[in-house]
Amino acid sequence: MSIFEQWGVTPIINATGSVTRLGGAVMPPEVIAAFSAAASDACSLEELQVAASRILAHHTGAAAGIVTAGCAAGLTLGTAAILAGLDAGRMERLPRPAPGDRHEFLVAREQRNGYDHAVRAAGATLVEVGFNEIVSNAGVRRTETWEYGAAITERTAGILYIAAPEARPRLQEVVDLAHRHCLPVLVDAAGELLPRNTLPDLVATGADLVACSGGKALRGPQSTGILCGRAELVGSALLQMLDMDDHPDLWSPPGILPEPRRLFGQPRHGLGRGFKVSKEEIAALLTAVELFFSGHYDQERSQQLTRLRQIAGQIPAPSRWELDDPHDGQRFPVLEVVVAEQALRKSAFDICRSLRDGSPRIFVGHGQLPLGRLVIHPLCLTETQSVQVAERLRVELTPSG
Ligand SMILES: *Cc1c(COP(=O)(O)O)cnc(C)c1O
Protein backbone atom coordinates (compact mmCIF):
# COMPACT_ATOMS: atom_id res chain seq x y z
CA MET A 1 0.00 0.00 0.00
CA SER A 2 1.22 3.49 -0.79
CA ILE A 3 1.82 5.79 2.19
CA PHE A 4 -0.45 8.38 0.56
CA GLU A 5 -3.53 6.14 0.72
CA GLN A 6 -3.86 6.52 4.51
CA TRP A 7 -4.73 10.17 3.81
CA GLY A 8 -7.12 9.30 1.04
CA VAL A 9 -4.71 10.34 -1.71
CA THR A 10 -4.43 7.97 -4.66
CA PRO A 11 -0.83 7.32 -5.73
CA ILE A 12 0.02 7.83 -9.40
CA ILE A 13 2.48 6.46 -11.89
CA ASN A 14 4.71 9.32 -12.96
CA ALA A 15 5.80 8.86 -16.58
CA THR A 16 6.57 12.57 -17.04
CA GLY A 17 10.06 12.73 -15.53
CA SER A 18 10.85 15.15 -12.72
CA VAL A 19 7.96 17.62 -12.88
CA THR A 20 7.35 19.49 -9.64
CA ARG A 21 3.55 19.08 -9.67
CA LEU A 22 4.00 15.32 -9.38
CA GLY A 23 6.68 15.40 -6.71
CA GLY A 24 9.86 15.59 -8.79
CA ALA A 25 12.39 12.80 -9.18
CA VAL A 26 12.36 9.78 -6.87
CA MET A 27 15.34 9.78 -4.51
CA PRO A 28 17.89 6.93 -4.67
CA PRO A 29 18.41 4.86 -1.47
CA GLU A 30 21.76 6.58 -0.71
CA VAL A 31 20.05 9.98 -0.73
CA ILE A 32 17.20 8.77 1.49
CA ALA A 33 19.76 7.28 3.90
CA ALA A 34 21.60 10.61 4.11
CA PHE A 35 18.31 12.40 4.77
CA SER A 36 17.37 10.13 7.65
CA ALA A 37 20.88 10.05 9.17
CA ALA A 38 20.90 13.86 9.26
CA ALA A 39 17.42 13.88 10.82
CA SER A 40 18.63 12.33 14.07
CA ASP A 41 21.71 14.52 14.51
CA ALA A 42 22.46 18.22 14.96
CA CYS A 43 24.89 20.77 13.51
CA SER A 44 25.12 24.47 12.76
CA LEU A 45 23.24 25.13 9.52
CA GLU A 46 25.66 27.89 8.69
CA GLU A 47 28.65 25.57 9.03
CA LEU A 48 26.87 22.92 6.98
CA GLN A 49 26.25 25.46 4.19
CA VAL A 50 29.93 26.49 4.29
CA ALA A 51 30.88 22.81 3.92
CA ALA A 52 28.33 22.48 1.10
CA SER A 53 30.01 25.42 -0.58
CA ARG A 54 33.34 23.57 -0.72
CA ILE A 55 31.71 20.49 -2.25
CA LEU A 56 29.64 22.46 -4.75
CA ALA A 57 32.69 24.53 -5.69
CA HIS A 58 34.66 21.35 -6.31
CA HIS A 59 32.05 19.88 -8.65
CA THR A 60 30.97 23.02 -10.50
CA GLY A 61 34.20 25.01 -10.68
CA ALA A 62 32.47 28.00 -9.08
CA ALA A 63 34.15 29.89 -6.23
CA ALA A 64 31.23 29.11 -3.89
CA GLY A 65 27.80 27.48 -3.73
CA ILE A 66 24.91 26.98 -1.34
CA VAL A 67 21.94 24.67 -1.11
CA THR A 68 18.72 26.61 -1.73
CA ALA A 69 15.05 25.67 -1.44
CA GLY A 70 14.85 24.89 -5.17
CA CYS A 71 15.96 26.72 -8.30
CA ALA A 72 13.20 29.31 -8.03
CA ALA A 73 14.32 30.20 -4.49
CA GLY A 74 17.89 30.37 -5.84
CA LEU A 75 16.76 32.90 -8.46
CA THR A 76 15.09 35.08 -5.81
CA LEU A 77 18.13 34.86 -3.52
CA GLY A 78 20.55 35.45 -6.40
CA THR A 79 18.62 38.55 -7.41
CA ALA A 80 18.58 39.73 -3.78
CA ALA A 81 22.36 39.21 -3.61
CA ILE A 82 22.91 41.27 -6.76
CA LEU A 83 20.60 44.05 -5.54
CA ALA A 84 21.92 44.26 -1.97
CA GLY A 85 25.52 43.03 -2.15
CA LEU A 86 26.95 43.00 1.38
CA ASP A 87 24.99 46.05 2.50
CA ALA A 88 22.86 45.09 5.53
CA GLY A 89 20.72 48.20 5.01
CA ARG A 90 19.91 47.26 1.43
CA MET A 91 19.16 43.67 2.52
CA GLU A 92 16.75 45.03 5.10
CA ARG A 93 14.85 47.11 2.50
CA LEU A 94 14.27 44.31 -0.03
CA PRO A 95 12.07 43.65 -1.92
CA ARG A 96 12.02 47.46 -2.20
CA PRO A 97 15.29 48.69 -3.63
CA ALA A 98 16.54 51.99 -2.19
CA PRO A 99 15.53 55.02 -4.29
CA GLY A 100 18.08 55.52 -7.02
CA ASP A 101 19.50 51.98 -6.69
CA ARG A 102 19.99 49.92 -9.81
CA HIS A 103 17.14 47.39 -9.89
CA GLU A 104 16.41 46.44 -13.51
CA PHE A 105 17.34 43.08 -15.04
CA LEU A 106 17.53 42.69 -18.80
CA VAL A 107 16.01 39.49 -20.18
CA ALA A 108 15.49 38.34 -23.76
CA ARG A 109 11.78 38.54 -24.57
CA GLU A 110 11.91 34.96 -25.88
CA GLN A 111 13.31 33.78 -22.53
CA ARG A 112 10.48 35.17 -20.43
CA ASN A 113 8.81 32.33 -18.49
CA GLY A 114 6.74 31.60 -15.41
CA TYR A 115 9.82 31.29 -13.20
CA ASP A 116 10.99 34.86 -13.78
CA HIS A 117 8.42 35.81 -11.14
CA ALA A 118 11.09 34.55 -8.73
CA VAL A 119 13.43 37.33 -9.92
CA ARG A 120 10.73 39.98 -9.66
CA ALA A 121 9.89 38.73 -6.15
CA ALA A 122 13.25 40.05 -4.89
CA GLY A 123 12.33 43.57 -6.03
CA ALA A 124 13.85 43.58 -9.51
CA THR A 125 12.02 44.90 -12.56
CA LEU A 126 12.45 42.95 -15.79
CA VAL A 127 13.24 44.87 -18.94
CA GLU A 128 12.72 42.86 -22.13
CA VAL A 129 15.12 43.01 -25.04
CA GLY A 130 15.00 41.45 -28.50
CA PHE A 131 12.19 40.68 -30.93
CA ASN A 132 10.21 37.46 -31.06
CA GLU A 133 10.75 37.64 -34.78
CA ILE A 134 11.44 33.93 -35.21
CA VAL A 135 7.74 33.04 -34.93
CA SER A 136 6.65 35.29 -37.80
CA ASN A 137 7.00 33.86 -41.29
CA ALA A 138 9.71 36.22 -42.43
CA GLY A 139 11.57 36.04 -39.16
CA VAL A 140 15.04 34.56 -39.20
CA ARG A 141 16.69 36.55 -36.42
CA ARG A 142 16.53 35.96 -32.71
CA THR A 143 17.71 38.10 -29.80
CA GLU A 144 21.18 39.45 -30.55
CA THR A 145 23.95 40.41 -28.15
CA TRP A 146 24.00 44.07 -29.23
CA GLU A 147 20.38 44.39 -28.15
CA TYR A 148 21.35 43.77 -24.52
CA GLY A 149 24.12 46.36 -24.87
CA ALA A 150 21.77 48.93 -26.36
CA ALA A 151 19.30 48.51 -23.48
CA ILE A 152 21.77 49.04 -20.61
CA THR A 153 21.09 52.21 -18.57
CA GLU A 154 22.09 53.54 -15.15
CA ARG A 155 19.12 51.57 -13.75
CA THR A 156 20.39 48.19 -15.02
CA ALA A 157 21.44 45.88 -12.18
CA GLY A 158 22.13 42.70 -14.15
CA ILE A 159 21.11 40.30 -16.88
CA LEU A 160 18.87 37.25 -16.42
CA TYR A 161 19.59 34.35 -18.78
CA ILE A 162 17.69 31.05 -19.13
CA ALA A 163 20.10 28.26 -20.05
CA ALA A 164 19.01 25.75 -22.72
CA PRO A 165 20.93 24.05 -25.53
CA GLU A 166 19.01 26.12 -28.10
CA ALA A 167 19.22 29.45 -26.22
CA ARG A 168 20.55 32.36 -28.30
CA PRO A 169 22.66 34.37 -28.11
CA ARG A 170 25.15 32.07 -26.43
CA LEU A 171 25.68 32.64 -22.71
CA GLN A 172 29.38 33.35 -23.26
CA GLU A 173 28.57 36.31 -25.50
CA VAL A 174 26.09 37.71 -22.99
CA VAL A 175 28.54 37.29 -20.09
CA ASP A 176 31.35 39.02 -22.04
CA LEU A 177 29.04 41.90 -22.92
CA ALA A 178 27.75 42.21 -19.35
CA HIS A 179 31.24 42.20 -17.87
CA ARG A 180 32.36 44.94 -20.27
CA HIS A 181 29.62 47.00 -18.60
CA CYS A 182 30.55 45.72 -15.08
CA LEU A 183 27.16 43.99 -14.77
CA PRO A 184 26.51 40.51 -13.29
CA VAL A 185 24.67 37.69 -15.10
CA LEU A 186 22.21 35.44 -13.25
CA VAL A 187 21.57 32.12 -14.99
CA ASP A 188 18.52 29.87 -14.58
CA ALA A 189 19.83 26.38 -15.36
CA ALA A 190 17.04 24.53 -13.52
CA GLY A 191 16.46 21.39 -15.50
CA GLU A 192 19.49 21.63 -17.78
CA LEU A 193 22.14 19.56 -16.01
CA LEU A 194 22.73 16.75 -18.49
CA PRO A 195 25.15 15.93 -19.92
CA ARG A 196 27.04 16.20 -16.65
CA ASN A 197 29.49 18.86 -17.74
CA THR A 198 26.64 21.32 -18.41
CA LEU A 199 26.76 23.07 -15.02
CA PRO A 200 30.59 23.34 -14.97
CA ASP A 201 30.46 24.65 -18.56
CA LEU A 202 27.91 27.32 -17.59
CA VAL A 203 30.05 28.36 -14.62
CA ALA A 204 33.14 28.45 -16.87
CA THR A 205 31.58 31.19 -18.99
CA GLY A 206 32.21 33.49 -16.01
CA ALA A 207 28.48 33.82 -15.29
CA ASP A 208 28.28 35.44 -11.85
CA LEU A 209 25.52 33.25 -10.41
CA VAL A 210 23.97 30.01 -11.66
CA ALA A 211 20.84 28.48 -10.09
CA CYS A 212 19.61 24.94 -10.68
CA SER A 213 17.15 22.42 -9.23
CA GLY A 214 18.13 19.68 -6.80
CA GLY A 215 15.03 17.57 -7.43
CA LYS A 216 15.31 17.08 -11.18
CA ALA A 217 18.30 15.30 -12.78
CA LEU A 218 20.27 15.44 -9.50
CA ARG A 219 17.57 13.36 -7.75
CA GLY A 220 17.91 15.15 -4.43
CA PRO A 221 14.88 16.27 -2.41
CA GLN A 222 12.44 18.16 -4.58
CA SER A 223 12.57 21.11 -2.22
CA THR A 224 16.29 21.71 -2.89
CA GLY A 225 18.42 23.52 -5.43
CA ILE A 226 21.88 24.98 -5.87
CA LEU A 227 23.04 28.58 -6.22
CA CYS A 228 26.70 28.80 -7.18
CA GLY A 229 29.02 31.49 -8.45
CA ARG A 230 31.07 34.41 -7.12
CA ALA A 231 31.80 34.04 -3.40
CA GLU A 232 30.68 37.55 -2.48
CA LEU A 233 27.29 37.10 -4.15
CA VAL A 234 26.76 33.57 -2.86
CA GLY A 235 27.70 34.81 0.63
CA SER A 236 25.17 37.63 0.36
CA ALA A 237 22.50 35.11 -0.72
CA LEU A 238 23.33 32.89 2.25
CA LEU A 239 23.09 35.81 4.69
CA GLN A 240 19.66 36.66 3.30
CA MET A 241 18.44 33.08 3.76
CA LEU A 242 19.93 32.02 7.12
CA ASP A 243 18.23 32.48 10.45
CA MET A 244 20.03 35.51 11.94
CA ASP A 245 18.88 35.23 15.55
CA ASP A 246 22.37 34.70 16.96
CA HIS A 247 23.52 37.22 19.58
CA PRO A 248 25.46 40.06 17.90
CA ASP A 249 28.31 39.61 20.41
CA LEU A 250 28.65 35.95 19.42
CA TRP A 251 27.92 36.08 15.69
CA SER A 252 30.53 36.17 12.95
CA PRO A 253 29.96 36.23 9.17
CA PRO A 254 29.85 32.84 7.38
CA GLY A 255 33.16 31.52 6.04
CA ILE A 256 32.04 31.86 2.42
CA LEU A 257 32.62 35.60 2.28
CA PRO A 258 36.03 36.47 0.85
CA GLU A 259 36.18 39.80 2.70
CA PRO A 260 33.80 39.56 5.65
CA ARG A 261 35.01 42.94 6.93
CA ARG A 262 33.22 44.58 4.02
CA LEU A 263 30.00 43.50 5.67
CA PHE A 264 28.98 46.29 8.00
CA GLY A 265 26.43 45.28 10.56
CA GLN A 266 24.79 41.93 11.28
CA PRO A 267 21.86 41.61 8.88
CA ARG A 268 18.45 40.72 10.28
CA HIS A 269 16.29 37.95 8.81
CA GLY A 270 16.48 38.59 5.10
CA LEU A 271 14.17 38.29 2.15
CA GLY A 272 15.00 34.57 1.87
CA ARG A 273 14.31 33.61 5.48
CA GLY A 274 11.16 31.86 4.24
CA PHE A 275 13.27 29.74 1.86
CA LYS A 276 15.05 27.88 4.63
CA VAL A 277 16.67 24.54 3.86
CA SER A 278 16.90 21.87 6.56
CA LYS A 279 20.01 19.92 7.53
CA GLU A 280 18.31 16.78 6.19
CA GLU A 281 17.73 18.40 2.82
CA ILE A 282 21.32 19.68 2.65
CA ALA A 283 22.76 16.27 3.55
CA ALA A 284 20.53 14.55 0.99
CA LEU A 285 21.30 17.06 -1.77
CA LEU A 286 25.07 16.83 -1.21
CA THR A 287 24.82 13.05 -1.43
CA ALA A 288 22.81 13.36 -4.65
CA VAL A 289 25.42 15.75 -6.06
CA GLU A 290 28.20 13.24 -5.38
CA LEU A 291 26.20 10.44 -7.06
CA PHE A 292 25.35 12.62 -10.04
CA PHE A 293 28.87 13.88 -10.71
CA SER A 294 30.42 10.42 -10.19
CA GLY A 295 28.32 9.12 -13.09
CA HIS A 296 26.47 6.74 -10.76
CA TYR A 297 23.12 7.38 -12.49
CA ASP A 298 24.44 6.48 -15.96
CA GLN A 299 24.11 2.79 -15.19
CA GLU A 300 20.30 3.19 -15.22
CA ARG A 301 20.18 4.32 -18.84
CA SER A 302 20.33 0.92 -20.54
CA GLN A 303 17.59 -0.44 -18.28
CA GLN A 304 15.47 2.65 -19.00
CA LEU A 305 15.99 2.12 -22.72
CA THR A 306 14.88 -1.50 -22.38
CA ARG A 307 11.73 -0.48 -20.48
CA LEU A 308 10.81 2.13 -23.06
CA ARG A 309 11.31 -0.45 -25.84
CA GLN A 310 8.99 -2.83 -23.97
CA ILE A 311 6.35 -0.13 -23.75
CA ALA A 312 6.82 0.71 -27.44
CA GLY A 313 6.39 -2.97 -28.30
CA GLN A 314 2.84 -2.86 -26.92
CA ILE A 315 1.67 0.15 -28.98
CA PRO A 316 -0.95 -1.18 -31.43
CA ALA A 317 -1.13 0.09 -35.04
CA PRO A 318 -2.14 2.43 -36.53
CA SER A 319 -0.56 4.50 -33.70
CA ARG A 320 3.22 4.75 -33.95
CA TRP A 321 6.15 5.53 -31.69
CA GLU A 322 9.56 7.14 -31.84
CA LEU A 323 12.35 6.47 -29.38
CA ASP A 324 14.76 9.34 -28.81
CA ASP A 325 18.05 7.96 -27.50
CA PRO A 326 20.70 10.68 -27.07
CA HIS A 327 23.43 7.96 -27.28
CA ASP A 328 25.71 9.74 -24.80
CA GLY A 329 24.88 7.39 -21.93
CA GLN A 330 24.01 10.39 -19.76
CA ARG A 331 20.86 12.10 -21.01
CA PHE A 332 17.54 10.27 -20.70
CA PRO A 333 16.03 8.28 -23.53
CA VAL A 334 12.42 9.40 -24.17
CA LEU A 335 9.54 7.60 -25.92
CA GLU A 336 7.04 9.56 -28.00
CA VAL A 337 3.79 7.84 -28.84
CA VAL A 338 2.18 9.21 -32.00
CA VAL A 339 -1.56 8.76 -31.48
CA ALA A 340 -3.55 7.79 -34.60
CA GLU A 341 -6.17 10.41 -33.72
CA GLN A 342 -8.32 10.00 -36.86
CA ALA A 343 -8.51 6.21 -36.76
CA LEU A 344 -9.20 6.15 -33.02
CA ARG A 345 -11.57 9.14 -33.21
CA LYS A 346 -9.82 10.28 -30.03
CA SER A 347 -7.28 13.04 -29.60
CA ALA A 348 -4.00 12.72 -27.73
CA PHE A 349 -5.63 14.97 -25.11
CA ASP A 350 -8.45 12.42 -24.70
CA ILE A 351 -5.96 9.58 -24.24
CA CYS A 352 -3.90 11.63 -21.79
CA ARG A 353 -7.05 12.38 -19.79
CA SER A 354 -8.19 8.75 -19.63
CA LEU A 355 -4.71 7.65 -18.57
CA ARG A 356 -4.89 10.14 -15.71
CA ASP A 357 -8.40 9.12 -14.70
CA GLY A 358 -8.03 5.34 -15.06
CA SER A 359 -6.64 2.74 -12.71
CA PRO A 360 -3.76 2.87 -12.00
CA ARG A 361 -3.59 6.61 -12.64
CA ILE A 362 -0.85 7.37 -15.15
CA PHE A 363 0.58 10.80 -15.93
CA VAL A 364 2.46 11.17 -19.23
CA GLY A 365 4.29 14.21 -20.61
CA HIS A 366 1.83 16.71 -22.09
CA GLY A 367 4.26 18.96 -23.97
CA GLN A 368 3.54 17.44 -27.41
CA LEU A 369 -0.21 16.84 -27.06
CA PRO A 370 -1.11 19.52 -29.64
CA LEU A 371 1.03 17.52 -32.11
CA GLY A 372 -0.89 14.35 -31.22
CA ARG A 373 1.94 12.86 -29.18
CA LEU A 374 2.27 11.44 -25.65
CA VAL A 375 5.72 11.66 -24.09
CA ILE A 376 6.94 8.85 -21.83
CA HIS A 377 9.93 9.72 -19.62
CA PRO A 378 11.63 6.83 -17.77
CA LEU A 379 13.12 8.66 -14.74
CA CYS A 380 10.45 7.75 -12.17
CA LEU A 381 9.23 4.45 -13.67
CA THR A 382 9.92 1.17 -11.89
CA GLU A 383 9.90 -2.17 -13.70
CA THR A 384 6.36 -2.97 -12.52
CA GLN A 385 5.09 0.48 -13.41
CA SER A 386 6.54 0.23 -16.93
CA VAL A 387 4.53 -2.94 -17.45
CA GLN A 388 1.41 -1.17 -16.20
CA VAL A 389 2.03 1.80 -18.50
CA ALA A 390 2.51 -0.56 -21.48
CA GLU A 391 -0.75 -2.38 -20.70
CA ARG A 392 -2.83 0.79 -20.23
CA LEU A 393 -1.44 2.30 -23.43
CA ARG A 394 -2.21 -0.90 -25.34
CA VAL A 395 -5.82 -0.77 -24.17
CA GLU A 396 -6.27 2.97 -24.77
CA LEU A 397 -4.76 2.83 -28.26
CA THR A 398 -6.53 -0.31 -29.50
CA PRO A 399 -9.08 0.74 -32.16
CA SER A 400 -12.62 -0.32 -31.18
CA GLY A 401 -14.73 -2.52 -33.44
C1 LIG B 1 11.90 23.60 -12.80
C2 LIG B 1 12.36 24.97 -13.20
C3 LIG B 1 12.52 26.00 -12.25
C4 LIG B 1 12.13 25.82 -10.80
O1 LIG B 1 12.93 24.90 -10.15
P1 LIG B 1 12.55 24.43 -8.66
O2 LIG B 1 13.76 23.66 -8.24
O3 LIG B 1 11.31 23.62 -8.75
O4 LIG B 1 12.35 25.67 -7.85
C5 LIG B 1 13.00 27.22 -12.67
N1 LIG B 1 13.31 27.45 -13.97
C6 LIG B 1 13.16 26.51 -14.92
C7 LIG B 1 13.53 26.82 -16.35
C8 LIG B 1 12.69 25.22 -14.57
O5 LIG B 1 12.54 24.27 -15.50
Side-chain angles (χ1 to χ4, degrees), residues 20 69-73 75 113 115 162 188 190-191 212-214 216 222 224:
T20 295
C71 178
L75 291 173
N113 67 85
Y115 297 108
I162 319 303
D188 176 352
C212 68
S213 291
K216 294 178 180 171
Q222 197 208 352
T224 60

Side-chain angles (χ1 to χ4, degrees), residues 36 56 73 138 150 217 349 369:
S36 59
L56 296 173
F349 280 96
L369 289 180

Side-chain angles (χ1 to χ4, degrees), residues 147-216:
E147 294 178 283
Y148 289 94
I152 292 172
T153 70
E154 72 285 349
R155 293 182 301 280
T156 311
I159 295 179
L160 169 66
Y161 186 95
I162 319 303
E166 65 280 6
R168 294 293 181 276
R170 295 253 180 226
L171 177 60
Q172 187 69 64
E173 287 179 39
V174 176
V175 168
D176 292 344
L177 178 276
H179 288 179
R180 281 201 294 283
H181 292 269
C182 299
L183 290 172
V185 178
L186 170 63
V187 180
D188 176 352
E192 296 293 334
L193 296 189
L194 286 170
R196 258 193 311 287
N197 60 349
T198 304
L199 185 54
D201 284 351
L202 292 171
V203 169
T205 62
D208 301 80
L209 285 172
V210 182
C212 68
S213 291
K216 294 178 180 171

